[in-house]
Amino acid sequence: MTSYILRRLLAVIPVFFVVTVIVFLVIHLVPGDPIDNLMRAGSSPALREQIAAKYGLDKGLFEQYVMWMGRVLTLDFGTSIIQSRPVGALIAQNLPDSLILGGFAFLFSTIAGISAGVIAAKYYGSRLDNGITTGILLGSTIPSFWLGLLLILVFAVWLGWVPVSGTRGWSSLILPVIATGLGGVALVARVTKVSMIEIGRQDFVMLLRAKGVSESRIRISHVLRHAMVPVISILGLRIGWILGGAITVEVVFARPGLGSLLIRALNQRDYPLVQGCLLMLAMAVILGTILGDVAQAAMDPRQREAAK
């Protein structure tokens, strides 16, 4: 198992460098200049050159990338051009709010998704199964920001059950968690249902029924346990994607967090801050994938053998 984990970690190294190149180029190729946000009307060209030299923007893209990567490898993400604060400190200040939202959304999508998948598999072909399947399809196609606006309109404006926005107590988390996690519910439920149906048709399940083992015990102790192997892999991917999906949800609900920080930095063309936020989100996806693969390999030794 240790060698498998080491191989997965080594495989991340080239992916990490590819991600850093993409993150660096995306923001530098977008039209706009962060210096424009620092210049006052009537400022001299010499002042522009001075500011550009201060932040290394007077150098070529390749040289800027090498300098940035040198700092990133020492866990120094640079200094925000607009806010004049270390990027690492800004991310550390906003990351806990995103982790709280993402953590609860992950739990919601995991518990609700697995439960819906188990029920749909148990009543496969029935009206209940069709209803759950329809709900899964709708949940996977509605954009999170649009769902967030609908939830605000119905439950905050019309019914007044929860706050419209902000972070006023735990009730303000309910709608953002649903908006962020509902797409994950659809994905987890679909994978759980298909996996349980496939496992339920295997020979060892028929053997357990022939031995007189109760249907509920077969379904929970055997079928569900084996069906969790592909579900665990999906959940690993969801760890990173939920943080990414929280970006738009944080803006819709006016919540502090990494998403709000990133959107504000994009509007201001704050290169170091945008690069730091995007790199953090990309690493969350990569680490989530690794965690999913390791958990899947721990549950199924065949995965470790296939990776050799």
Side-chain angles (χ1 to χ4, degrees):
M1 190 66 190
T2 303
S3 61
Y4 176 82
I5 296 175
L6 290 176
R7 287 198 300 271
R8 294 295 293 120
L9 291 175
L10 289 175
V12 170
I13 296 177
V15 176
F16 171 76
F17 281 101
V18 171
V19 167
T20 59
V21 171
I22 295 174
V23 166
F24 180 83
L25 291 179
V26 162
I27 184 59
H28 281 79
L29 296 180
V30 172
D33 191 340
I35 299 179
D36 294 335
N37 294 299
L38 299 175
M39 299 287 290
R40 296 181 179 179
S43 299
S44 64
L47 180 59
R48 171 178 284 274
E49 293 177 0
Q50 181 180 353
I51 295 175
K54 177 181 178 180
Y55 293 101
L57 299 176
D58 58 334
K59 299 178 173 59
L61 285 180
F62 179 75
E63 191 173 354
Q64 289 185 49
Y65 171 76
V66 172
M67 293 172 58
W68 176 62
M69 273 302 301
R71 292 194 299 267
V72 167
L73 293 177
T74 60
L75 300 181
D76 178 10
F77 298 100
T79 303
S80 168
I81 296 176
I82 305 301
Q83 302 187 45
S84 299
R85 292 181 58 191
V87 171
L90 290 170
I91 292 176
Q93 178 183 338
N94 289 270
L95 186 59
D97 292 295
S98 294
L99 290 178
I100 291 173
L101 173 57
F104 280 104
F106 180 78
L107 288 176
F108 167 64
S109 60
T110 300
I111 296 173
I114 293 176
S115 301
V118 169
I119 295 172
K122 180 178 181 180
Y123 298 98
Y124 178 64
S126 66
R127 291 183 179 180
L128 181 58
D129 174 34
N130 293 332
I132 292 176
T133 302
T134 302
I136 289 172
L137 291 175
L138 290 175
S140 61
T141 55
I142 299 177
S144 57
F145 70 89
W146 190 66
L147 176 61
L149 293 174
L150 288 178
L151 292 174
I152 290 175
L153 180 63
V154 175
F155 295 100
V157 177
W158 290 351
L159 299 177
W161 291 353
V162 290
V164 174
S165 61
T167 55
R168 291 172 291 178
W170 289 103
S171 60
S172 63
L173 265 174
I174 296 175
L175 297 186
V177 164
I178 294 174
T180 306
L182 190 58
V185 172
L187 179 61
V188 173
R190 185 165 62 248
V191 175
T192 303
K193 172 188 171 181
V194 172
S195 183
M196 287 199 67
I197 292 173
E198 291 180 353
I199 298 296
R201 293 169 177 171
Q202 294 188 7
D203 294 339
F204 80 92
V205 176
M206 298 177 62
L207 180 60
L208 290 172
R209 289 195 179 101
K211 288 182 176 180
V213 181
S214 66
E215 191 66 29
S216 59
R217 183 177 178 183
I218 292 175
R219 189 171 300 276
I220 301 301
S221 301
H222 299 278
V223 176
L224 181 59
R225 181 166 61 88
H226 286 83
M228 282 297 99
V229 174
V231 175
I232 289 296
S233 181
I234 294 297
L235 291 176
L237 289 174
R238 290 297 302 168
I239 293 175
W241 289 117
I242 277 181
L243 280 181
I247 291 177
T248 54
V249 172
E250 287 175 355
V251 174
V252 169
F253 288 92
R255 292 183 57 85
L258 200 60
S260 300
L261 181 67
L262 175 58
I263 296 299
R264 188 165 59 250
L266 281 170
N267 291 331
Q268 297 172 336
R269 299 295 189 273
D270 195 337
Y271 292 166
L273 187 53
V274 173
Q275 290 167 180
C277 292
L278 289 178
L279 188 59
M280 182 65 64
L281 293 174
M283 290 308 300
V285 175
I286 293 174
L287 292 177
T289 304
I290 292 176
L291 289 175
D293 290 346
V294 170
Q296 190 177 30
M299 294 177 65
D300 187 358
R302 294 173 299 179
Q303 299 289 333
R304 301 196 296 268
E305 296 298 327
K308 290 183 179 180

